[in-house]
Amino acid sequence: MVVGAQATEVDTVVIGSGPGGYVAAIRAAELGQKVTIIEKDKMGGVCLNIGCIPSKALINVGHHYNESKQEEEGQSPFGLSTKGVTLDWAAAQKWKQEKVVNVLTGGVSALMKRHKIDVIKGTAEFVDNQTINVEQTDGHQLLQFNNCIIATGSRPIEIPPFPFGGRILDSTGALGLTEIPKHLLIVGGGVIGSELGGAYRLLGSKITIVEGLDHILNGFDKEMSDIIFKRVKNAGSDIHTSAKAVSAVQTDKDVTLTFEAEGKEQTVTGDYLLIAIGRRPNTDNIGLNNTDIKLGEKGLIEVDDTFKTSVDHIYAIGDIVPGPMLAHKASYQGKIAAGAISGEANAVDMHLAMPAVAYTSTELATVGVTPDDVKGRTDVKISKFPFAANGRALSMDEAEGFIRMITETKEGAVIGAQIAGPGASDLISDFSLAIENGLTAKDLSMTIQPHPTLGEAITDTAELADGMPINI
Ligand code: NAI
């Protein structure tokens, strides 16, 4: 308990300025609340500064570099050739920071000003159900609030055998490397391991992934993740599945990872080791024990369908509540919570259509139910259309993969879709829209997609589901 200071009264306070917090703050301001947002680090949170956005920037650099290398090595499918490809890594990192990250985070700060949201720089901790203490570099202040939205996000899980530091990296360290590793070791073949590993593979690193489960990219089914598995293996990198990372020893030149796979202990040496074994919610360091907020499993905050916690005027959104740890989930929940505080009655049907994407080379995307979810059901149909039959994909030399759609046989309602292939991250939105709005396969098949586009493969999949295929 912090004593001896006078509390400033505020209306709605938002803790954290990531894609959950800043969106909630703006929506609350739009709905007439006087909002104060507290951020201990940079505006924009993990996603904008050290997560989703900078990783996509580096993946993009990787694709460009890889294409140029193919041209240099006479392997361009388009007959292009280039000589003397070099990569100025410092310039690429500078571009990522100045032209991508800083532009977006500057935009968030500008939006705060525009909505007259007070920004307090400091670390927030609950003193009780009504009061927050903010520790600042030059002291601290107490805020007494009417409403609060907690959006403190998550951080990488760190386990004793692999303390972060030196050549053992978390995702932030991997994004900020000042050199391209010759050999990057990765523990955890989930989204972060596969995306960042993929970026460095395209940039010329050999990668070795050690994954505990029997397939990488656990959020996607094996038919999808196998495309990435084969691609990585064929390019001369290694993936060990059903393997357990045991320990690591680093020197000033390299790091050696010991892991168990196929019943025996093995070692591999590389120049860096990325640990990407999941993230933990930031709920253990914000004074929740001084409040009546109930925590559930894995340190996640229990919320109702408006994201209200067990304390009436305190809401929680994003990585700190159950569900996938995704930026777009946090933003969506932020809008619902801000609305609920303002008296709007728009509770959420929890994640009816919550898409997820892996920005691997061959992107993977999913929304709604999966084949596993509908196993044993006789009232559903699964339809699959290959990109190999799509003109635009062929013209891009990216014809690997497929669109899979799951419909209910009675009316043809779309209830799930998976895409492995070019543009999957953008194409999946059509299916989100379809599921969210109760559209049927017929509705999708009668929606005109321009020609020639990757989107036509959606029409083709819908026609398959509707029993009237044209292109297959
Ligand atoms: P993850 O949960 O996706 O994958 C971690 C993997 O590490 C799992 O497959 C697990 O089996 C494996 N693992 C755990 N301990 C291990 C051990 N000792 N030895 C070997 N393997 C081990 O977690 P990740 O990749 O760290 O990502 C964290 C969160 O960030 C995810 O929830 C994800 O949704 C989110 N994220 C989303 C992105 C996107 O939407 N594109 C991009 C990056 C992250």
Side-chain angles (χ1 to χ4, degrees):
M1 173 75 80
V2 179
V3 286
Q6 186 83 34
T8 308
E9 280 185 31
V10 292
D11 184 13
T12 293
V13 62
V14 177
I15 311 177
S17 71
Y22 92 77
V23 168
I26 291 173
R27 179 52 50 87
E30 284 171 339
L31 291 170
Q33 295 163 47
K34 180 70 195 122
V35 183
T36 302
I37 193 165
I38 309 170
E39 173 55 62
K40 69 178 160 93
D41 210 326
K42 293 180 182 148
M43 295 301 285
V46 169
C47 172
L48 270 61
N49 288 286
I50 47 170
C52 330
I53 298 298
S55 63
K56 271 33 346 134
L58 290 189
I59 289 168
N60 191 36
V61 176
H63 281 296
H64 284 294
Y65 179 72
N66 186 51
E67 275 168 26
S68 301
K69 281 309 270 184
Q70 279 183 350
E71 291 163 14
E72 189 180 46
E73 288 160 13
Q75 289 169 12
S76 163
F78 314 118
L80 292 164
S81 72
T82 316
K83 281 202 175 69
V85 176
T86 57
L87 172 63
D88 181 344
W89 182 233
Q93 286 281 20
K94 189 165 181 269
W95 164 78
K96 176 196 85 176
Q97 193 59 40
E98 290 178 3
K99 301 288 182 193
V100 185
V101 172
N102 293 356
V103 172
L104 283 175
T105 54
V108 172
S109 296
L111 286 169
M112 295 299 110
K113 272 204 192 100
R114 192 189 167 133
H115 288 279
K116 301 194 170 39
I117 295 166
D118 291 329
V119 178
I120 299 182
K121 191 151 174 60
T123 305
E125 202 176 319
F126 285 95
V127 176
D128 55 38
N129 284 339
Q130 217 73 50
T131 321
I132 287 170
N133 175 53
V134 186
E135 279 301 323
Q136 297 176 289
T137 42
D138 51 355
H140 76 101
Q141 59 174 302
L142 286 177
L143 304 177
Q144 193 163 26
F145 56 87
N146 293 328
N147 302 295
C148 175
I149 300 176
I150 314 173
T152 46
S154 60
R155 61 184 188 275
I157 293 177
E158 187 174 15
I159 51 174
F162 310 108
F164 299 138
R167 295 184 173 274
I168 302 180
L169 313 170
D170 62 1
S171 50
T172 310
L175 282 168
L177 280 177
T178 52
E179 59 180 357
I180 310 276
K182 284 184 209 58
H183 188 175
L184 176 63
L185 313 178
I186 302 168
V187 174
V191 220
I192 293 183
S194 297
E195 284 190 4
L196 287 182
Y200 281 110
R201 187 180 67 74
L202 292 171
L203 288 162
S205 304
K206 176 183 164 115
I207 62 169
T208 296
I209 296 180
V210 172
E211 165 56 50
L213 300 174
D214 67 354
H215 74 108
I216 56 167
L217 291 156
N218 60 72
F220 302 88
D221 56 77
K222 201 158 180 303
E223 188 179 12
M224 301 175 83
S225 66
D226 268 354
I227 296 176
I228 310 302
F229 182 88
K230 282 184 196 136
R231 185 165 282 213
V232 173
K233 292 280 248 189
N234 290 344
S237 281
D238 285 328
I239 301 179
H240 301 272
T241 50
S242 304
K244 188 169 170 273
V246 178
S247 61
V249 178
Q250 57 174 319
T251 68
D252 55 356
K253 287 198 306 292
D254 57 25
V255 52
T256 299
L257 172 69
T258 301
F259 62 98
E260 288 165 10
E262 291 147 8
K264 57 179 192 286
E265 204 163 87
Q266 309 183 30
T267 59
V268 57
T269 299
D271 30 10
Y272 291 96
L273 168 63
L274 164 63
I275 304 295
I277 55 170
R279 302 179 62 85
R280 61 180 292 185
N282 290 325
T283 52
D284 55 337
N285 45 9
I286 52 172
L288 291 183
N289 50 328
N290 300 323
T291 71
D292 295 312
I293 295 172
K294 271 201 202 120
L295 281 180
E297 274 179 25
K298 298 182 180 165
L300 297 166
I301 297 177
E302 284 180 10
V303 284
D304 70 6
D305 58 4
T306 63
F307 304 102
K308 188 162 73 183
T309 67
S310 45
V311 176
D312 259 358
H313 57 284
I314 304 181
Y315 290 68
I317 58 167
D319 289 3
I320 55 173
V321 303
M325 289 181 164
L326 296 168
H328 46 275
K329 174 192 117 175
S331 302
Y332 179 73
Q333 294 179 339
K335 289 184 272 189
I336 302 276
I341 290 173
S342 315
E344 280 189 350
N346 52 351
V348 61
D349 178 2
M350 281 283 193
H351 316 145
L352 181 66
M354 183 62 66
V357 171
Y359 294 82
T360 36
S361 48
T362 303
E363 291 181 348
L364 308 182
T366 182
V367 64
V369 299
T370 65
D372 262 358
D373 295 331
V374 296
K375 220 178 214 160
R377 272 179 71 174
T378 51
D379 62 335
V380 295
K381 181 172 179 183
I382 300 180
S383 313
K384 203 171 102 185
F385 185 84
F387 278 109
N390 175 272
R392 177 87 170 125
L394 284 166
S395 73
M396 295 160 67
D397 191 48
E398 289 194 49
E400 193 176 13
F402 56 84
I403 296 186
R404 187 203 289 139
M405 182 165 133
I406 306 178
T407 46
E408 284 175 343
T409 36
K410 193 162 167 246
E411 306 281 350
V414 183
I415 55 171
Q418 288 75 44
I419 307 177
S425 55
D426 291 315
L427 292 174
I428 199 71
S429 303
D430 271 18
F431 290 108
S432 300
L433 196 68
I435 296 172
E436 198 64 53
N437 292 283
L439 302 185
T440 62
K442 174 73 85 201
D443 293 326
L444 286 190
S445 73
M446 294 306 289
T447 301
I448 303 174
Q449 299 270 359
H451 176 75
T453 56
L454 298 169
E456 285 174 298
I458 294 175
T459 311
D460 286 310
T461 319
E463 285 174 349
L464 262 175
D466 199 31
M468 306 278 272
I470 303 284
N471 288 312
I472 192 163

